[in-house]
Amino acid sequence: MTKILVCNPSYYQISYEINPWMSIDNQSNKNLAKDQWFHLVDKLKEAGANVVEMSGESNLPDMVFTANAGLVLPNKKVILAKFKHRERQPERIFYKNWFQNNGYEILEDPYPENTSWEGAGDALYQDNILYLGYGFRSDYEAISNENWKNLGFEKVFYMNLKDPYYYHLDTCFCPLPNKYALINTNAFDEHVVKSLSQVINLLPVAKNEAEKFACNAVSIENTVIIPSGCSNTKEMLMNVGFQVYETDMSEFMKSGGACKCLTLKI
Ligand code: ARG
């Protein structure tokens, strides 16, 4: 059973600007954000996930985006993130405590101390292939060492991000079961797209749906949960055999995140 960690949204709001989607003048609606978060959790459960909830911390509004806590490997081992921006750096200790209290083993940071690396926002795996994004929040220097090649994955892909609106890998790429992946091809250099297309079937999303975070999807077995308003993406997924659930993420998109960012597979 897929186990997913989420963080209660009670302290969620837009209190600083660390990506181009965020503007303190475009504040999220507290009640609507809560409703959307609970709706997402319902959909995750409906798709068959075991959803585990941790509590948030006041003054850490982005803790709700558990994808950035770290990367959880199949054997309950965790690589903790090291946040680039000062605003999110205090999150690390709370995530660390949660993992320790819940029986996970924290691995020694595989990245050099002076680098940043933002967890499953920039590290995705599926079918024994590890995809590592870098360029905005995660440094190439953080992932360009042998440690990452020794985690037991068959293949490691390095994916340079080039559009500041798609600053985490999970905002523009989503590997899925059966060797499929949603992708916003505009967020990568051509050679990255080309080499990916040699190993998986790429499902390129339209620009207007990429902007609605179509790639920020969560897959649970044969079900894919995507933000609402992405009808072409939905159809594309259904055509290759996935069941698709939609969920409104407007209040979280104001912070530069959606379904996937709010979850962490543990
Ligand atoms: N406001 C958050 C940030 O800028 C959003 C994080 C979204 N997370 C993700 N995995 N893409 O850090």
Side-chain angles (χ1 to χ4, degrees):
M1 194 182 205
T2 310
K3 204 167 162 185
I4 289 183
L5 177 65
V6 295
C7 172
N8 187 283
S10 348
Y11 301 107
Y12 172 68
Q13 59 177 35
I14 314 292
S15 25
Y16 45 76
E17 299 168 359
I18 56 169
N19 71 55
W21 303 93
M22 299 176 89
S23 159
I24 16 194
D25 299 330
N26 187 25
Q27 197 46 248
S28 56
N29 176 309
K30 250 202 150 48
N31 289 328
L32 186 53
K34 264 195 195 142
D35 288 350
Q36 291 178 348
W37 187 86
F38 280 107
H39 188 259
L40 171 67
V41 168
D42 282 346
K43 291 288 148 190
L44 293 167
K45 289 180 180 165
E46 203 178 314
N50 171 9
V51 181
V52 180
E53 182 180 331
M54 70 185 288
S55 48
E57 291 294 326
S58 57
N59 300 319
L60 294 177
D62 278 342
M63 239 183 106
V64 72
F65 298 110
T66 50
N68 298 120
L71 181 70
V72 183
L73 301 167
N75 45 7
K76 278 194 123 183
K77 291 189 199 293
V78 186
I79 301 171
L80 282 180
K82 189 147 151 282
F83 289 91
K84 180 179 178 91
H85 294 289
R86 174 181 46 77
E87 290 85 345
R88 294 197 66 181
Q89 283 165 359
E91 293 177 29
R92 179 176 162 115
I93 187 73
F94 294 105
Y95 289 131
K96 185 179 182 183
N97 291 342
W98 189 90
F99 284 119
Q100 273 172 342
N101 295 335
N102 287 275
Y104 289 78
E105 180 192 343
I106 314 266
L107 296 180
E108 193 185 322
D109 295 340
Y111 43 81
E113 214 186 297
N114 58 345
T115 60
S116 65
W117 178 75
E118 295 202 351
D122 273 328
L124 305 168
Y125 64 82
Q126 178 75 47
D127 299 322
N128 217 19
I129 302 180
L130 177 64
Y131 303 90
L132 297 174
Y134 65 93
F136 294 102
R137 298 298 189 79
S138 299
D139 299 319
Y140 182 67
E141 292 69 30
I143 53 174
S144 58
N145 65 61
E146 286 301 305
N147 299 336
W148 297 90
K149 297 193 176 117
N150 298 330
L151 294 176
F153 294 97
E154 204 174 292
K155 199 170 166 57
V156 184
F157 258 100
Y158 292 87
M159 299 169 70
N160 189 7
L161 301 167
K162 64 169 195 186
D163 182 336
Y165 279 90
Y166 302 98
Y167 59 95
H168 276 141
L169 182 63
D170 68 1
T171 62
C172 48
F173 181 70
C174 177
L176 296 167
N178 304 325
K179 294 252 161 155
Y180 285 106
L182 290 171
I183 188 167
N184 168 14
T185 54
N186 297 318
F188 302 98
D189 283 327
E190 238 172 85
H191 70 91
V192 175
V193 179
K194 208 175 152 200
S195 57
L196 280 173
S197 68
Q198 283 158 3
V199 295
I200 43 171
N201 300 306
L202 295 178
L203 303 171
V205 308
K207 186 172 180 286
N208 66 316
E209 296 195 355
E211 285 165 1
K212 291 179 195 154
F213 282 80
C215 296
N216 203 248
V218 187
S219 72
I220 295 146
E221 314 266 326
N222 194 44
T223 303
V224 185
I225 303 173
I226 60 170
S228 48
C230 303
S231 51
N232 290 323
T233 305
K234 180 176 180 178
E235 200 182 312
M236 191 161 59
L237 288 166
M238 287 171 65
N239 284 340
V240 296
F242 291 106
Q243 165 170 266
V244 180
Y245 292 164
E246 291 172 278
T247 183
D248 189 0
M249 290 277 100
S250 66
E251 298 318 292
F252 296 97
M253 281 155 57
K254 291 176 180 170
S255 189
C259 322
K260 159 64 172 63
C261 306
L262 294 168
T263 66
L264 180 67
K265 287 186 180 164
I266 56 168

